[in-house]
Amino acid sequence: MSYSYQIKSYEQYKKDYQQSIDDPASFWSNIAEYFTWRKKWDEVSTWNFKEPKIEWFKGAKLNITENCIDRHLKTMGDKPAIIWEPNNPEERVRTVTYNRLHKRVCQFAQVLKNNGVKKGDRVCIYMGMVPELAYAVLGCARIGAIHSVIFGGFSAQSIADRLYDANAEFIITCDGAYRGDKVIPLKNVIDDALIGNRTVKKVIVYTRTRTPVSMLKGRDIWWEDEMEFAEHQIEKDGIVNFPAEEMDAEDPLFILYTSGSTGKPKGVVHSSAGYMVWTNYTFINVFQYQPGQIHFCTADIGWITGHSYIVYGPLSAGATSVMFEGVPTWPDAGRFWDIIDKHKINILYTAPTAIRSLMGFGTKPLEGKDLSSLKVLGTVGEPINEEAWHWYDENIGKKKCPIVDTWWQTETGGILISNLAGITPAKASWATLPLPGVQPLLVDDKGNEITEKEDGLLKGNLCIKAAWPSILRTTYGDHERCRTNYFATYENLYFTGDGALKDDNGFYRITGRVDDVLNVSGHRIGTAEVENAINMHAGVVESAVVGYPHDIKGQGIYAFVIDSNTHGDDELTRKDILQTVSRIIGPIAKPDKIQFVKGLPKTRSGKIMRRILRKIAEGETQNLGDTTTLLDPGIVEEIKNGKI
Ligand code: WTA
């Protein structure tokens, strides 16, 4: 084939980009030739954003695990697929070759089958960062079950909501998870989530921490026992296999819940073929992956970044993917640098919040650490400030490694806007150019394209005007919600919820959310969700939550709370509220600041003027904008004076 899958020059990028727009069908069918299909597609894509209905590689049959595992076995069976770095650096590293991964995934697919899991069933996964989590995800994909991974920082209540929403009948968990010097009792959280639940039939428990757990007869089973039992079932005449389920291109691969501007998290659904093609294509092109390289994405598999760039992207490319169980600052702030040195990492993909936090420890933790294996650095999840970008460039990349600033979302499945490492230009704190097939558009609040520059830049709400292969297909169980959330704000456009700038080179800079979604340490949290949780606390009359700039987290959570305060002890009430939020959502959503107020700035029709609260939280005292439409303008002064 003469077609080059990996873009090798700026010129080729421009050519490929143009072709992907002019003739998407031939462009993407060339790209799709690089995968293993049981049957090829009848049509490359058909879509409309009205319903929305989006199909890619229509009529094709495949299984993503054959692309992530089986096709590599012949030439790379003994090559590491996963290198697992434990929380405790004294503990043994585990290296999982492609052969071993194949065996474990087959074994676990057999376990699922033995327990009655079928194609299309929803399986909830709530585990720490252990290789078994990857086996669980891929085991589901192998038999065609839809995985729904829930990040370990979510509470029992959040899990219960997600189990209910997806009507999940199976759970895979661990007794506990290590995070720095803490042990998180995951199975206990699951037990709480299951109180009153009548749909879950089986809970498979992997032993990681030996934390005491309750095991209900008939429902709860041990991972180790099940795997042992399945081991001989997948072996015949010395050959290990569990035949992969044949999936339709558009069969759902997974659900991942994410916060939006309305109260309840949505179950974003990704398809099999489009998601596979996109994660592989972007992994190979953005990071300029070279065969044999070792890739370290520091995200948790509980978030989309882990799905796409620890599991599916790197494994489908036959790369070695490093999976880290711990946290960047334990046992000390040199942990990432130790891991890079120890495993000779070539690609490091992390979040600005981690960079800022490590930057705060200075360069001492870097002393004596050999980072010369690094070739490419990446960031994701939030805007990166120039200071952090330069620190990363100078101290980690030693000015020799291109930095890719990758913009994307849970809903986009993979990277949409980013420079290509060393191939297209980088610009500090700019995500720069769209990947082939991605057509961004900046619009005003009415949906008109922005054409007038402000200070030399176009500035507007970021939309995408055509479907790319891994765009979300629906929100689980509620297609209308998908339509109203993403496709109804502006006609015939996918609306990202982000604001952006565009310069004369066509480079994009993402400025942050323009809706009521916060980005705290790279984690998406809806303000409405946090308010609902705070309002559940006895004594709270009403609350309003906004974001404010936070040096390390990017954004912090600021809550204005009207409290009946029957105890008269603000400090205690504050702690109680934090406890309530932890229970309802999880510790990640705890407000950084709680200010008790007598009233909230409301319009005469009762709408809270968040704009004013946002300004106060940001420390603005003068230009709060027009307050004359407020029911009680005096309240603003009072809130301003009580700012913490
Ligand atoms: C933000 C994470 C600036 C953005 C992959 C988006 C970014 C949200 C960047 C999605 C970036 C992600 N620069 N902002 N490079 N990458 N974001 O769904 O606001 O957890 O809408 O997906 O993170 O967060 P999510």
Side-chain angles (χ1 to χ4, degrees):
M1 196 176 312
S2 62
Y3 192 80
S4 160
Y5 189 93
Q6 193 171 47
I7 298 169
K8 284 287 166 211
S9 66
Y10 198 7
E11 284 316 301
Q12 192 194 340
Y13 161 78
K14 288 179 194 158
K15 208 173 106 254
D16 283 13
Y17 185 83
Q18 202 50 49
Q19 200 213 336
S20 75
I21 307 304
D22 296 344
D23 188 0
S26 82
F27 183 81
W28 291 109
S29 58
N30 273 329
I31 295 294
E33 286 296 333
Y34 286 79
F35 296 82
T36 299
W37 304 91
R38 295 271 183 95
K39 174 184 173 285
K40 287 200 179 159
W41 50 96
D42 303 318
E43 195 177 355
V44 169
S45 75
T46 65
W47 56 271
N48 75 68
F49 280 174
K50 231 180 181 62
E51 298 174 59
K53 187 163 171 64
I54 299 152
E55 292 171 287
W56 278 84
F57 309 108
K58 200 174 172 176
K61 304 280 181 197
L62 75 155
N63 187 289
I64 196 168
T65 68
E66 291 185 335
N67 284 274
C68 289
I69 308 171
D70 303 52
R71 66 167 169 164
H72 308 313
L73 296 179
K74 223 181 192 144
T75 52
M76 299 193 293
D78 293 327
K79 197 186 138 180
I82 295 172
I83 295 178
W84 176 74
E85 172 71 26
N87 178 62
N88 185 338
E90 318 257 287
E91 202 184 326
R92 190 172 55 90
V93 165
R94 285 166 64 187
T95 302
V96 184
T97 62
Y98 274 96
N99 278 330
R100 179 49 60 102
L101 181 65
H102 176 250
K103 178 167 181 187
R104 292 290 179 247
V105 169
C106 286
Q107 229 173 319
F108 193 68
Q110 181 71 48
V111 168
L112 292 170
K113 187 176 173 188
N114 291 346
N115 284 286
V117 180
K118 295 180 304 299
K119 176 178 175 179
D121 287 348
R122 276 80 50 219
V123 177
C124 158
I125 304 177
Y126 187 67
M127 300 173 87
M129 284 285 283
V130 284
E132 284 69 18
L133 166 53
Y135 308 160
V137 163
L138 293 164
C140 286
R142 191 133 182 120
I143 69 160
I146 303 170
H147 56 76
S148 163
V149 183
I150 302 177
F151 175 63
F154 282 111
S155 69
Q157 182 64 52
S158 295
I159 298 167
D161 292 346
R162 286 158 170 76
L163 288 171
Y164 176 78
D165 188 80
N167 197 6
E169 293 177 332
F170 305 93
I171 298 178
I172 307 159
T173 189
C174 299
D175 52 351
Y178 293 118
R179 270 186 87 71
D181 56 4
K182 291 199 206 66
V183 177
I184 322 271
L186 298 180
K187 174 63 165 65
N188 273 349
V189 181
I190 290 291
D191 289 339
D192 288 346
L194 288 179
I195 294 171
N197 177 296
R198 286 169 190 277
T199 49
V200 170
K201 294 181 189 149
K202 287 277 154 83
V203 180
I204 303 176
V205 184
Y206 173 73
T207 313
R208 170 63 186 129
T209 54
R210 296 195 159 265
T211 304
V213 290
S214 113
M215 293 290 281
L216 272 197
K217 195 178 287 168
R219 187 194 71 184
D220 300 350
I221 51 181
W222 294 109
W223 170 289
E224 295 76 8
D225 294 347
E226 296 296 309
M227 285 293 266
E228 198 183 312
F229 187 76
E231 194 166 5
H232 75 272
Q233 293 178 288
I234 56 159
E235 197 168 329
K236 213 173 154 214
D237 306 327
I239 295 171
V240 168
N241 197 23
F242 180 95
E245 184 75 28
E246 187 167 282
M247 305 294 284
D248 190 83
E250 282 301 321
D251 278 337
L253 175 63
F254 66 85
I255 304 172
L256 187 58
Y257 284 86
T258 189
S259 296
S261 43
T262 46
K264 218 174 75 165
K266 303 175 286 268
V268 167
V269 177
H270 281 289
S271 72
S272 300
Y275 177 81
M276 169 183 78
V277 168
W278 194 258
T279 51
N280 182 280
Y281 181 72
T282 52
F283 173 72
I284 288 180
N285 278 293
V286 171
F287 300 104
Q288 287 290 304
Y289 170 74
Q290 302 300 321
Q293 284 190 333
I294 300 176
H295 170 77
F296 178 23
C297 166
T298 68
D300 190 289
I301 294 180
W303 306 106
I304 191 71
T305 306
H307 281 61
S308 301
Y309 300 107
I310 296 177
V311 182
Y312 290 112
L315 296 180
S316 66
T320 298
S321 186
V322 174
M323 207 175 153
F324 175 41
E325 185 187 35
V327 294
T329 48
W330 191 85
D332 58 52
R335 193 68 202 276
F336 276 1
W337 324 130
D338 283 327
I339 296 175
I340 291 165
D341 189 344
K342 179 164 159 192
H343 299 295
K344 303 286 167 247
I345 305 284
N346 305 117
I347 306 168
L348 173 66
Y349 191 31
T350 193
T353 194
I355 299 169
R356 286 190 298 262
S357 127
L358 295 173
M359 195 167 95
F361 291 88
T363 50
K364 196 138 183 72
L366 284 158
E367 281 171 16
K369 315 286 160 78
D370 179 6
L371 306 184
S372 61
S373 56
L374 285 173
K375 294 270 181 285
V376 172
L377 304 177
T379 70
V380 59
E382 42 178 326
I384 181 162
N385 47 315
E386 290 198 27
E387 193 193 355
W389 195 97
H390 288 294
W391 189 85
Y392 199 31
D393 184 34
E394 282 157 30
N395 295 289
I396 309 308
K398 318 281 185 203
K399 290 195 153 248
K400 284 200 292 247
C401 303
I403 298 178
V404 289
D405 178 351
T406 66
W407 173 83
W408 58 296
Q409 310 178 296
T410 304
E411 294 85 347
T412 72
I415 299 164
L416 294 198
I417 303 182
S418 171
N419 49 317
L420 310 181
I423 301 291
T424 64
K427 184 172 172 185
S429 84
W430 288 67
T432 72
L433 294 165
L435 271 284
V438 177
Q439 301 186 56
L441 189 73
L442 298 182
V443 301
D444 65 17
D445 287 339
K446 294 200 181 69
N448 302 313
E449 182 170 357
I450 306 280
T451 47
E452 301 268 313
K453 288 184 196 155
E454 253 176 70
D455 302 324
L457 300 168
L458 297 170
K459 180 177 176 211
N461 300 324
L462 178 63
C463 294
I464 315 284
K465 60 181 174 189
W468 62 97
S470 67
I471 184 173
L472 85 162
R473 299 304 195 260
T474 189
T475 46
Y476 193 82
D478 193 348
H479 194 62
E480 179 55 15
R481 194 152 178 235
C482 172
R483 192 186 69 81
T484 50
N485 260 287
Y486 306 106
F487 300 95
T489 316
Y490 307 115
E491 211 181 331
N492 287 325
L493 294 175
Y494 165 80
F495 177 44
T496 64
D498 281 320
L501 305 171
K502 186 180 178 182
D503 72 8
D504 289 338
N505 297 315
F507 290 4
Y508 289 88
R509 176 186 194 155
I510 314 301
T511 49
R513 303 289 303 199
V514 292
D515 55 5
D516 288 322
V517 173
L518 305 179
N519 193 328
V520 180
S521 301
H523 303 326
R524 264 167 77 170
I525 299 170
T527 52
E529 227 182 304
V530 183
E531 287 166 7
N532 290 345
I534 294 175
N535 296 349
M536 305 243 327
H537 182 66
V540 169
V541 179
E542 199 176 7
S543 65
V545 165
V546 296
Y548 71 97
H550 187 288
D551 284 350
I552 291 172
K553 297 177 172 186
Q555 268 189 314
I557 305 180
Y558 198 122
F560 298 90
V561 176
I562 308 176
D563 173 47
S564 60
N565 199 1
T566 40
H567 301 298
D569 181 343
D570 278 0
E571 206 33 54
L572 196 57
T573 310
R574 217 171 252 129
K575 286 187 180 147
D576 290 345
I577 290 175
L578 295 182
Q579 197 66 20
T580 307
V581 174
S582 280
R583 284 260 176 226
I584 306 289
I585 306 175
I588 54 168
K590 283 198 288 196
D592 300 273
K593 293 183 179 179
I594 297 175
Q595 180 182 346
F596 293 108
V597 294
K598 294 223 171 60
L600 293 166
K602 285 188 179 175
T603 60
R604 289 191 184 89
S605 59
K607 207 172 155 284
I608 299 173
M609 297 278 277
R610 287 164 189 288
R611 175 174 51 81
I612 295 173
L613 292 175
R614 224 174 276 136
K615 287 210 164 151
I616 295 176
E618 284 166 7
E620 176 78 55
T621 49
Q622 300 304 319
N623 306 313
L624 295 181
D626 183 12
T627 54
T628 54
T629 56
L630 290 178
L631 192 61
D632 173 10
I635 202 75
V636 174
E637 218 37 48
E638 222 177 285
I639 296 177
K640 232 164 61 180
N641 294 336
K643 185 183 176 302
I644 41 176

